[in-house]
Amino acid sequence: MIVILLGAPGSGKGTQSERLTAALDLVHISSGDLFRDHLGRGTPLGELARTYMDAGALVPDEVTIRMIADRLDRPDVHGKGRVLFDGFPRTVAQADALDALLGEIGAGNVGAAVFIDVSETTVVERMAGRGRSDDNPDVIRTRLAAFRRDTEPVIGFYRAQGKLVAVDGEGTVDDVFERIMAGLVACE
Ligand code: AP5
Ligand code: MG
């Protein structure tokens, strides 16, 4: 089972990932968390990613795809095919690359892409309550623009394949989780 979580910055991808990985026994792969891990360890990849993340821009596809390929090679994932992707793919080129990578490691196909649909007003409020280093108003504006320009086409990519599960992301964490679970059951 390969599930993708799509949504604007602050839409609740990380929050719902915790619940979904526990409920569905999936390995959580968050590209943002992987970049932040590299940053924390001061690796060259982390230093490269920092310039983009601080500005709220997407890290280039080739860098992101290589990092995900390395992650998929680890034994908890390789050949097992039980993954929840959070924040990846974020461009159509990344979505194409993911299909190829999953084929290479024999992990099956993407089963569902869940789009957590939340208003910009709500995501700005939610991020204000969190305060990560890329949560200041200017950077949030850039992240939202990157979402509209580069990631909204990914929603269309999965819709065209009949894999899109769009859920209303407003309301409590429990409400949204229940909608996602119901959407995944209906999609099977
Ligand atoms: P990434 O780490 O993926 O950040 P993001 O997409 O901007 O999303 P967030 O992590 O900020 O939000 P979220 O949707 O996980 O929401 P959360 O659950 O935390 O990416 C960071 C950067 O890395 C990018 O800008 C880019 O530079 C780079 N990057 C990452 N992936 C990349 C890729 N594939 N390609 C290129 N570059 C990439 O919730 C937010 C807040 O709201 C929390 O405080 C939470 O407690 C609260 N909350 C959640 N749900 C609810 C609810 N229902 N009610 C009330 N509060 C809620
Ligand atoms: Mg997140």
Side-chain angles (χ1 to χ4, degrees), residues 7 36 38 51 62 69 72 75 84 98 101 110 112 125 127 135 140 150 156 176:
R36 280 184 288 276
H38 275 277
T51 50
E62 61 195 69
L72 290 177
L84 178 74
L98 178 61
L101 286 172
V110 171
E125 276 169 20
M127 284 186 279
D135 283 345
I140 287 175
D150 295 315
V176 179

Side-chain angles (χ1 to χ4, degrees), residues 29-71:
I29 298 185
S30 157
S31 42
D33 287 353
L34 289 172
F35 283 129
R36 280 184 288 276
D37 177 58
H38 275 277
L39 253 163
R41 289 186 288 125
T43 70
L45 173 59
E47 289 309 315
L48 174 68
R50 180 196 303 277
T51 50
Y52 296 95
M53 293 173 84
D54 284 352
L58 293 186
V59 178
D61 283 338
E62 61 195 69
V63 176
T64 305
I65 291 164
R66 203 174 340 117
M67 177 179 72
I68 294 290
D70 287 346
R71 180 64 187 86

Side-chain angles (χ1 to χ4, degrees), residues 120-133:
E120 291 202 1
T121 315
T122 300
V123 297
V124 169
E125 276 169 20
R126 286 184 187 172
M127 284 186 279
R130 184 178 60 173
R132 209 169 66 193
S133 67

Side-chain angles (χ1 to χ4, degrees), residues 165-178:
V165 175
V167 300
D168 176 3
E170 307 279 342
T172 68
V173 173
D174 286 341
D175 290 341
V176 179
F177 175 69
E178 277 166 28

